[in-house]
Amino acid sequence: MPVNFPPGLPIVPDGDAPGGPRISSPLPSSGAGTYAGSGAGSGAAQFATVPFEMSPEDFEAAVNDALLLIPDKAARAMDNVAIFIEDDYIPQPGEDPDTVLLGLYEGVPLTERDSWWDAGSLPDRITIFRQPILDICESRQEVIDEVAITVIHEIAHHFGIGEDRLHELGWG
């Protein structure tokens, strides 16, 4: 798995963990995890008073580390999906302009793919949004934990796991 992608280029999980084995135990849910994935919200009470500062390179390293948390079997099962890092989510026309996303899955979940899907389909896309995560975190460890929760949350969507079930499991 490439380690030094420039911001915005895909990180493509390949099932191999360079430099060591994958970690298969899940992270405990942090208080900020409520907003992982497609959770939306606005209001100052949700965010730290001062966003945590982290370089794009360090944030990318946190995303790469989060990918190593994916168990080997799950990483090998991921199919035609690319992971991107962007600074912020820009609400689409017709969407609430105060929408805040930490991550976004766009694609066809593995559980919904049929024989028609393989015919020239573009890769699914997972985007992790840097600034909203930094806005709700007060320390480096909180950023690392929130990135891991968000990455796992969005990958779960690739496997067809919905928001309600993710919240039940503590990955919401």
Side-chain angles (χ1 to χ4, degrees):
M1 179 179 322
V3 177
N4 294 315
F5 275 124
L9 290 180
I11 300 170
V12 182
D14 62 3
D16 294 325
R22 291 186 179 276
I23 301 167
S24 61
S25 60
L27 290 175
S29 180
S30 73
T34 308
Y35 300 102
S38 60
S42 62
Q46 298 174 18
F47 304 106
T49 54
V50 177
F52 185 76
E53 299 275 330
M54 180 180 272
S55 72
E57 295 80 14
D58 286 346
F59 190 86
E60 182 179 321
V63 171
N64 280 322
D65 289 346
L67 291 170
L68 295 176
L69 294 172
I70 304 165
D72 286 333
K73 188 174 181 179
R76 285 190 306 271
M78 290 176 68
D79 183 38
N80 204 25
V81 61
I83 299 173
F84 294 83
I85 299 169
E86 293 184 9
D87 283 333
D88 209 345
Y89 175 74
I90 300 170
Q92 302 300 308
E95 208 173 5
D96 181 347
D98 293 329
T99 298
V100 175
L101 297 182
L102 305 183
L104 179 65
Y105 169 75
E106 299 170 284
V108 178
L110 295 175
T111 55
E112 296 177 20
R113 294 182 185 178
D114 203 345
S115 58
W116 61 267
W117 184 86
D118 274 340
S121 295
L122 293 174
D124 289 2
R125 180 182 175 107
I126 291 174
T127 307
I128 306 301
F129 298 105
R130 182 177 171 269
Q131 196 58 54
I133 291 175
L134 296 178
D135 286 346
I136 64 170
C137 295
E138 296 179 353
S139 70
R140 180 179 183 80
Q141 189 59 51
E142 281 186 23
V143 171
I144 290 167
D145 291 346
E146 192 58 53
V147 164
I149 290 166
T150 303
V151 166
I152 291 168
H153 180 106
E154 299 307 329
I155 288 172
H157 288 316
H158 176 67
F159 285 102
I161 301 171
E163 288 296 322
D164 291 341
R165 183 65 179 140
L166 284 168
H167 284 276
E168 287 173 16
L169 295 170
W171 292 97

